Structures are given as structure tokens and as C-alpha cells.
Amino acid sequence: MLNLVLFGPPGAGKGTQAEFLIKSFGLIHLSTGDLLRSEIAAGTALGIEAKNFMDKGELVPDEVVIGMIKSKLDANKEAKGFIFDGFPRTVDQAKALDVLLNENGTPISGMLCLQVEKQELIDRLLSRGKVSGRSDDQNQSIIENRITVYTEKTLPLIEYYKPQGKHFDINGMGTIEEIAGRLQEVVEKL
Ligand code: AP5
């Protein structure tokens, strides 16, 4: 079983690259952002609560996202492995994920950290906001807040995985295919 954390700031290309990894390695893609947006679209109580945080670029409370991941892991016990995209985002989420995966006997194999320059992140998200209408891509100040929240609350996760020898930096600049090739090379070794 191969369990990967696809890591990086908003707009780094996590969702885009997850599509390639699913095809190459037959893993299940678990994006907490996508799961939360599905809850919002369905108008559930969880979605209504989450929207307040997401529209401002703030993190949804840990217990909400950990609960969503737990139910997805429970529902996919026969999976070959998972790509966690946008999760974990805090050290408490990473610790909770370790507990959940230890129950299945397979810990995280690697944390793949996409590195992209800040202006490129902003340009990518503003372009997507124009066509997708995603509420948290709509203006530069929300995007900048998402990047600040990432720097303050999520980036420290590197120090959680690094001592375990699981952290891999990947250059996230260039064409989608070039980046996919770099990821493929690292994941094949795992
Ligand atoms: P989430 O949905 O996870 O958003 P994010 O981390 O901000 O990431 P994005 O989806 O914006 O970017 P991405 O890295 O996936 O890039 P993508 O491939 O889409 O989270 C949204 C919100 O939900 C959070 O702010 C928070 O409120 C909440 N949330 C989610 N998870 C949570 C958690 N665990 N805990 C608490 N709260 C949580 O690409 C972006 C764009 O760039 C696309 O248009 C793409 O086509 C384009 N692009 C990609 N690669 C390239 C390239 N190489 N060149 C040019 N363009 C490219």
C-alpha cells in the first residue's frame, strides 16, 4: 500500500497532479477541499459551517476534516493506497492521520512538497477564479490570506515529516507534464 501526502500552497497544482498519480499508481484521491465543496453544494449542515471559513480563506476546524477523512478511509478498506490532497493542513491533522493509518497498518510513505513562486500561485488562482467562480479565488486579498494561513499553520508540517525521512521537495514550476514527470520519478522510488 502506498499512501502519499501531496503538499503545497494554494494553486501549487496538487489537484492537477493528483490526476496523473491516480492513473500511474492506481491510488484513491482524497481532497478535503473537494469533499467540503461537495458538502456545500449539497447544502448540508457541515457544508454551511465550512463555507464560512472557506470564503475567508481560513481553515475549517480540525475535527470536521478529520471526521471526513476517517469515513473515507473506512469506506475504502481494500484500496491500494491514497493520495491525500489538502490534508493534513495542521500538525494535529497529521497526528490524527497517523493514528487512522496505523489502524490499517500502512503509514504515510512520502510527503511530496510542490514548490511554486508566490506570484505564480496568485496568477494561477486569479485565472481559475475567472472561469470556475470558486468563491475563494475571487480576489487577491482572499488568495493572499490563504497563502498566509498556509505559511503559518500548514508549512510547519514539513518539520513533522522531515525527521521521519518522508519529505521530498518537487519543483512545481513549469508545464503540467514536466511536473508530473518529476513527481513520477520520486514516487517510483517509494
Ligand atoms: P483546497 O481545495 O485544498 O484548496 P487549496 O489548497 O487552496 O488548493 P487549490 O485547489 O486552490 O490548489 P491546488 O494546489 O490543488 O492547485 P490546482 O491543481 O487546483 O482548500 C480550499 C479551502 O477548504 C481551504 O482554504 C480551507 O478553508 C478548506 N480546507 C480544505 N482542506 C482543509 C483541511 N485539511 N483543513 C482545514 N480546512 C481545509 O491548480 C490551480 C490552478 O492552476 C488550476 O486552474 C490549474 O489548472 C492551474 N495549474 C496547475 N498546474 C499548473 C501549471 N504547471 N502551470 C500553469 N497552471 C497550472
Side-chain angles (χ1 to χ4, degrees), residues 31-121:
S31 156
T32 40
D34 287 349
L35 293 171
L36 289 165
R37 282 183 288 277
S38 299
E39 295 284 341
I40 292 171
T44 65
L46 190 157
I48 291 165
E49 184 195 354
K51 191 173 185 334
N52 289 324
F53 295 95
M54 293 170 78
D55 283 351
K56 289 182 263 181
E58 298 294 332
L59 294 184
V60 173
D62 284 344
E63 60 274 17
V64 173
V65 286
I66 292 166
M68 286 192 323
I69 289 290
K70 180 176 175 6
S71 64
K72 289 290 171 188
L73 293 178
D74 287 345
N76 289 285
K77 286 199 183 295
E78 306 305 318
K80 284 172 70 180
F82 296 91
I83 301 172
F84 298 97
D85 161 2
F87 182 90
R89 255 178 155 99
T90 63
V91 172
D92 282 347
Q93 289 181 21
K95 288 179 179 167
L97 180 60
D98 280 350
V99 171
L100 292 172
L101 292 178
N102 282 342
E103 286 166 9
N104 299 343
T106 311
I108 288 295
S109 319
M111 177 223 215
L112 311 167
C113 185
L114 290 168
Q115 295 192 310
V116 178
E117 290 162 15
K118 184 176 176 186
Q119 191 55 51
E120 170 77 7
L121 300 172

Side-chain angles (χ1 to χ4, degrees), residues 64-186:
V64 173
V65 286
I66 292 166
M68 286 192 323
I69 289 290
K70 180 176 175 6
S71 64
K72 289 290 171 188
L73 293 178
D74 287 345
N76 289 285
K77 286 199 183 295
E78 306 305 318
K80 284 172 70 180
F82 296 91
I83 301 172
F84 298 97
D85 161 2
F87 182 90
R89 255 178 155 99
T90 63
V91 172
D92 282 347
Q93 289 181 21
K95 288 179 179 167
L97 180 60
D98 280 350
V99 171
L100 292 172
L101 292 178
N102 282 342
E103 286 166 9
N104 299 343
T106 311
I108 288 295
S109 319
M111 177 223 215
L112 311 167
C113 185
L114 290 168
Q115 295 192 310
V116 178
E117 290 162 15
K118 184 176 176 186
Q119 191 55 51
E120 170 77 7
L121 300 172
I122 293 169
D123 292 345
R124 286 183 190 178
L125 295 179
L126 285 174
S127 307
R128 180 176 64 184
K130 281 184 200 146
V131 285
S132 74
R134 209 174 117 166
S135 57
D136 56 351
D137 286 345
Q138 290 305 311
N139 68 61
Q140 185 148 341
S141 71
I142 300 175
I143 291 172
E144 295 219 14
N145 189 43
R146 287 162 63 195
I147 295 172
T148 301
V149 168
Y150 169 80
T151 305
E152 290 175 357
K153 298 192 172 155
T154 304
L155 209 49
L157 274 176
I158 290 178
E159 296 312 318
Y160 181 79
Y161 288 107
K162 217 179 220 174
Q164 303 176 39
K166 294 178 178 172
H167 164 257
F168 300 88
D169 275 332
I170 313 281
N171 177 1
M173 300 285 288
T175 67
I176 290 170
E177 291 74 19
E178 283 167 346
I179 301 159
R182 292 174 200 141
L183 277 166
Q184 174 108 7
E185 212 173 293
V186 173

